[in-house]
Structure formats: structure tokens, C-alpha cells
Amino acid sequence: MPIEALNHVQLAMPPGQEDAARRFYRDLLGIPEVPKPPALAARGGCWFERGALKVHLGVEVDFLPARKAHPAFTVSNLAGLMQQLLAAGIAVDRDEPLAGHDRCYVSDPFGNRIELMEPL
């Protein structure tokens, strides 16, 4: 039975920081928030989804950011997104193109590494 697809990426966040997650993932990256299932909502966190793109933020009491492990999001207009992130005070770390992609790294409000890639 082979694995067929990646269903979602789960990243950790500290307790009580849902508004910061919304500002970054929903407002800056443009991934709409969807309601968590009622059975999971009491745990805190946020879910952001658009089609097959699913990023779930779960609360971790003893939170440590993922500084090496990271999701890589394919974007269009990487230059425009980088300008928007910089204007919002988000540091952007450019990296060399890789396998036909322009790319950079940013950190979410909690220090989790996020790679942004645009096909060349």
C-alpha cells in the first residue's frame, strides 16, 4: 500500500498565539483559515487551507521552533511576496536558485522556518 499524497503539514506554536498565526499565514501568506473540527478546537491552534495546501498550527506547551525542518511553499510572484513580508517587518533570507526555482526563507512569528519557492 503506497503512500499517495501529503495530506497536511503540522507546525507547532506557543499557547495563546493564534492571532499572530493568523496575521502571518492568513494575512501575509494569503492562506485562508478554516475552522478546526469541534473535537480539536479546544486544543487551540489554527488551520489554514486552500485546496490541497493545508497548514495546521498546533499548540505545544514546551514549544521550540523548527529551525531546520520546514515546509516549502510554491508561490507566484516571489518578489512581490518578499516585498510584502519585508514591509511587515519579516526578515527574508535569499538563497541560491535550486532546481529551476527562485527561493527564500522566512520565519513565522514563532521562529519556524518556511521556504518560499517560485518556478523560474
Side-chain angles (χ1 to χ4, degrees):
M1 291 192 239
I3 294 174
E4 296 179 12
L6 178 66
N7 182 274
H8 68 274
V9 170
Q10 168 110 9
L11 297 172
M13 61 179 273
Q17 296 296 308
E18 287 81 2
D19 285 343
R22 289 178 182 106
R23 283 190 299 274
F24 183 78
Y25 289 95
R26 182 192 64 201
D27 300 342
L28 289 174
L29 296 187
I31 309 169
E33 183 176 8
V34 299
K36 289 182 70 171
L40 302 178
R43 299 179 188 177
C46 307
W47 287 11
F48 303 94
E49 300 181 359
R50 184 186 327 98
L53 175 62
K54 298 178 183 181
V55 183
H56 297 172
L57 276 284
V59 170
E60 190 169 0
V61 174
D62 296 324
F63 171 76
L64 291 173
R67 297 191 188 278
K68 183 68 173 175
H70 63 276
F73 300 135
T74 300
V75 304
S76 58
N77 190 9
L78 180 60
L81 179 55
M82 287 190 308
Q83 287 178 347
Q84 181 177 329
L85 291 165
L86 288 167
I90 306 293
V92 174
D93 182 21
R94 291 297 306 246
D95 207 345
E96 304 217 4
L98 177 67
H101 289 83
D102 191 10
R103 64 195 183 121
C104 69
Y105 293 97
V106 298
S107 293
D108 73 6
F110 322 115
N112 294 313
R113 186 179 196 190
I114 308 291
E115 184 172 5
L116 304 171
M117 305 177 74
E118 180 178 29
L120 294 173

